[in-house]
Amino acid sequence: MIIYDFSEILKLLHGNKPVLFMFPFAGGNAYSYRGLIEPLEEYYDIVCTELPGRNNSSQYPLDNNLDNLVDFVFKKWIQPVNLERPYILYGHSMGGIMLNLIARKIMENERVEPSYLIVSGCAAPSVRRDQDLYKLSSFGFWKELEKKGGVPDYILENEEYKDYLEPILRNDFEAIETYNYKENRPVNVDMTVMYGTEESLDQESLVKWQDETTGELEILSFPGDHFFLFKNKPVIIEHLKNKAENISQLI
């Protein structure tokens, strides 16, 4: 099963596969990973979390505080089901920072810890982020996003799409850029960090993820820019299939 709405989260209580929780990137929504995860439904029950102010959570206002977003996701998507079967947390870019905070919240609430963590396109949370992207003029904002890669031409060339997405993107970048990192006790969970060879992430910023876990850290590179995962779908899907097979042995 694939769950896109938190109103259906209790369906997880009736499944028997490993669970894959997906946390969105800036400007993303519950459907952003659709093309990546549909081939994985045979191996996982999949939960595509949604942030306030978009799609299935549009009844809630946008929130530019990352701690508030983490609380929202935990209360709506994690807390209602105390999973006792293996599960993985996956987050790309902003979703990676959220994943790190949610893993700690799970630990603080004495829930069963994740079986594995997967982060992509994201420096360790202790690494300082850009501080002013969300403050740029509309022209400058879109130019910077174009440089980062991953924004399709059909959006860049359509003013209606841009008008709709810009407030959401600005909100999410403000949440990331104003987040104050606090050092916490690391989790004891193995982790994979994936990145694109053309994005602006250095090895040091990736290796620092080891500060967040006492488990093993695996770093994998893929050709491409910040959204390399969509250009390397077969390999990423295969990687996630292998993880499902590995943690299925724990059931």
Side-chain angles (χ1 to χ4, degrees):
M1 80 180 85
I2 302 179
I3 296 173
Y4 293 105
D5 192 318
F6 65 75
S7 67
E8 300 182 339
I9 195 65
L10 293 181
K11 288 181 179 179
L12 281 185
L13 296 174
H14 307 293
N16 57 12
K17 300 174 187 174
V19 179
L20 177 62
F21 285 91
M22 308 292 290
F23 302 102
F25 43 84
N29 59 57
Y31 300 95
S32 295
Y33 297 112
R34 198 171 203 165
L36 189 67
I37 61 171
E38 286 180 345
L40 293 168
E41 194 173 1
E42 177 184 347
Y43 303 88
Y44 294 97
D45 288 333
I46 304 169
V47 179
C48 297
T49 61
E50 186 84 272
L51 301 182
R54 61 209 87 186
N55 288 355
N56 297 327
S57 294
S58 58
Q59 69 269 40
Y60 301 98
L62 291 169
D63 195 320
N64 57 16
N65 181 286
L66 195 65
D67 290 316
N68 291 346
L69 294 177
V70 167
D71 286 342
F72 178 89
V73 170
F74 182 78
K75 288 173 183 175
K76 297 291 186 184
W77 297 90
I78 309 287
Q79 198 168 43
V81 285
N82 191 11
L83 288 178
E84 295 184 356
R85 53 183 158 136
Y87 68 98
I88 291 175
L89 305 183
Y90 178 98
H92 181 77
S93 197
M94 180 177 79
I97 303 299
M98 292 186 65
L99 170 157
N100 188 57
L101 293 170
I102 287 168
R104 277 160 178 72
K105 192 167 281 290
I106 289 169
M107 186 170 65
E108 290 165 6
N109 283 267
E110 299 182 347
R111 299 295 187 96
V112 176
E113 290 187 348
S115 307
Y116 208 83
L117 304 175
I118 303 176
V119 171
S120 58
C122 184
S126 59
V127 176
R128 186 176 176 83
R129 262 71 187 167
D130 294 334
Q131 297 297 307
D132 57 3
L133 187 59
Y134 75 96
K135 297 178 182 177
L136 294 177
S137 68
S138 182
F139 177 82
F141 183 75
W142 286 105
K143 277 294 180 188
E144 285 300 312
L145 290 185
E146 188 175 1
K147 286 181 192 174
K148 286 178 178 290
V151 182
D153 289 341
Y154 75 86
I155 291 178
L156 293 171
E157 295 166 3
N158 188 306
E159 292 303 318
E160 286 187 15
Y161 278 140
K162 287 165 70 175
D163 288 345
Y164 170 75
L165 283 173
E166 186 169 329
I168 298 172
L169 281 162
R170 281 187 185 276
N171 176 87
D172 293 352
F173 275 104
E174 183 172 2
I176 300 165
E177 294 175 359
T178 59
Y179 166 63
N180 291 314
Y181 172 77
K182 301 177 186 71
E183 188 174 343
N184 287 293
R185 181 164 62 93
V187 296
N188 183 26
V189 183
D190 292 346
M191 175 186 289
T192 292
V193 176
M194 304 185 289
Y195 72 101
T197 54
E198 296 170 24
E199 61 178 325
S200 56
L201 290 174
D202 58 50
Q203 282 292 311
E204 183 180 358
S205 71
L206 301 172
V207 171
K208 285 184 74 64
W209 274 106
Q210 188 68 77
D211 296 340
E212 308 303 321
T213 179
T214 56
E216 292 186 11
L217 179 68
E218 174 186 46
I219 299 177
L220 302 176
S221 65
F222 296 87
D225 58 22
H226 185 54
F227 284 95
F228 66 89
L229 66 164
F230 297 116
K231 297 173 182 175
N232 296 274
K233 278 199 291 188
V235 183
I236 303 291
I237 289 168
E238 191 62 31
H239 181 76
L240 290 168
K241 283 181 183 178
N242 291 337
K243 293 301 179 192
E245 291 169 358
N246 291 342
I247 67 172
S248 291
Q249 299 171 15
L250 302 174
I251 295 177

